[in-house]
Amino acid sequence: MAPISTPQTPFGRVLTAMVTPFTADGALDLDGAQRLATHLVDAGNDGLIINGTTGESPTTSDVEKDQLVRAVLEAVGDRAHVVAGIGTNDTRHSIELARTAERTGAHGLLAVTPYYNKPPQEGLLRHFTAIADSTGLPVMLYDIPGRSGVPIDTETLVRLAEHPRIVANKDAKGDLGRASWAIAQSGLAWYSGDDMLNLPLLSVGAVGIVSVVGHVVTPDLRALVEAFLGGDVHKATEIHQKLLPVFTGMFRTQGVITTKAALTLQGLPAGPLRLPLVELSAHETAQLKIDLAAGGVQL
């Protein structure tokens, strides 16, 4: 059974979009995934996103995706929300992944905006509605036009929010004004999907965060959220400013690349990347160490 949630926080407050550990030869490392999931939940995560972009979902097979969800559920499913990324740019394929995740026991679904084929807003509405109609699981939308090429307009978010199973949005749009209007008009549970904007999005109504840097600073992120919600904006701001080097360093290049490098530096399961992603250079790794140290991360 998943941890207690409320309509205001259907997936908890602090979630990390987990990388997918691989073995040295590039195979799925299920033992490593379980150890990493346990570490992240022990650190304070309310939930984990599995098979998202940070999980290298474009280069894992459907079978691997299912195996990974099963493994993480076995490791932490009784004390954290396990949310399966099922978004593709093919509605039928997304529905297949959603139904498989439900059968496996996932607690929720993350559905990213269809990418590359650039559908109009009516296409987005029908796509997300079809996914939500296909299972009984709660759905978190994922609005990231920098990757998908198409934003989910505020009017579309309001219409999607009418669906009883579309309950949340992960916002990586980078537009606080549009976020403010969408939060106010849609009533969706809003999660920051951009670590640099975690605190600003909380200030306009977000209920939590879905983080990449949570791999290395979950306790700080949890303290930031709790301080803000407790009314101690000064403390929340101090934590935000302390973490600025981490936010910067972890996104000097593609986030999966730096996250796996950081985990490896800490002796945690990560493994290699699958092409077209590539390892950090020695120079980039040295810079990452500087950035992490400046934000108080122990290596």
Side-chain angles (χ1 to χ4, degrees):
M1 179 178 293
I4 295 173
S5 59
T6 71
Q8 292 74 35
T9 58
F11 303 105
R13 296 280 189 191
V14 179
L15 299 91
T16 291
M18 197 178 93
V19 301
T20 297
F22 297 126
T23 60
D25 61 357
L28 194 63
D29 181 3
L30 293 176
D31 177 67
Q34 290 188 320
R35 287 187 287 120
L36 180 58
T38 299
H39 167 79
L40 291 172
V41 174
D42 287 346
N45 280 284
D46 299 315
L48 300 172
I49 306 291
I50 309 302
N51 296 323
T53 310
T54 309
E56 294 180 75
S57 59
T59 54
T60 57
S61 70
D62 290 0
V63 171
E64 288 176 321
K65 288 177 173 64
D66 183 52
Q67 291 174 332
L68 190 62
V69 172
R70 288 179 186 275
V72 174
L73 281 166
E74 181 181 320
V76 300
D78 60 339
R79 57 195 186 101
H81 298 274
V82 177
V83 181
I86 52 81
T88 72
N89 60 352
D90 175 354
T91 305
R92 291 179 297 176
H93 187 197
S94 296
I95 288 172
E96 291 173 5
L97 292 174
R99 289 173 172 166
T100 298
E102 183 178 39
R103 287 193 296 269
T104 300
H107 304 136
L109 306 172
L110 178 74
V112 71
T113 312
Y115 40 84
Y116 188 71
N117 42 20
K118 299 184 73 172
Q121 292 300 306
E122 181 64 24
L124 297 185
L125 181 73
R126 296 187 191 186
H127 171 82
F128 289 125
T129 299
I131 292 170
D133 284 343
S134 70
T135 81
L137 294 177
V139 176
M140 179 188 291
L141 307 174
Y142 184 12
D143 186 9
I144 182 165
R147 288 184 183 274
S148 68
V150 178
I152 310 176
D153 287 349
T154 299
E155 295 77 10
T156 305
L157 287 163
V158 171
R159 294 174 68 187
L160 287 167
E162 296 173 359
H163 196 291
R165 286 185 293 282
I166 297 178
V167 299
N169 182 52
K170 177 185 176 186
D171 181 2
K173 193 176 281 175
D175 188 326
L176 292 172
R178 292 172 78 176
S180 299
W181 277 109
I183 291 168
Q185 294 181 15
S186 72
L188 290 169
W190 213 259
Y191 289 83
S192 170
D194 183 341
D195 277 303
M196 187 67 83
L197 296 183
N198 287 339
L199 181 57
L201 279 166
L202 288 171
S203 76
V204 297
V207 302
I209 61 179
V210 176
S211 176
V212 174
V213 304
H215 284 90
V216 293
V217 292
T218 288
D220 287 314
L221 294 178
R222 179 151 217 96
L224 185 155
V225 172
E226 291 176 352
F228 181 84
L229 296 174
D232 194 343
V233 178
H234 179 72
K235 180 179 179 182
T237 303
E238 284 186 336
I239 298 169
H240 170 75
Q241 292 176 347
K242 169 194 171 186
L243 294 176
L244 289 174
V246 181
F247 298 154
T248 299
M250 291 286 280
F251 294 101
R252 288 186 186 275
T253 186
Q254 207 271 359
V256 183
I257 296 173
T258 49
T259 299
K260 283 199 163 183
L263 290 171
T264 299
L265 290 170
Q266 291 188 312
L268 291 165
L273 299 128
R274 288 183 176 174
L275 286 171
L277 300 184
V278 294
E279 312 292 334
L280 286 184
S281 67
H283 172 74
E284 290 170 323
T285 300
Q287 181 61 56
L288 178 63
K289 290 179 180 178
I290 293 169
D291 294 328
L292 294 177
V297 177
Q298 300 295 316
L299 299 177

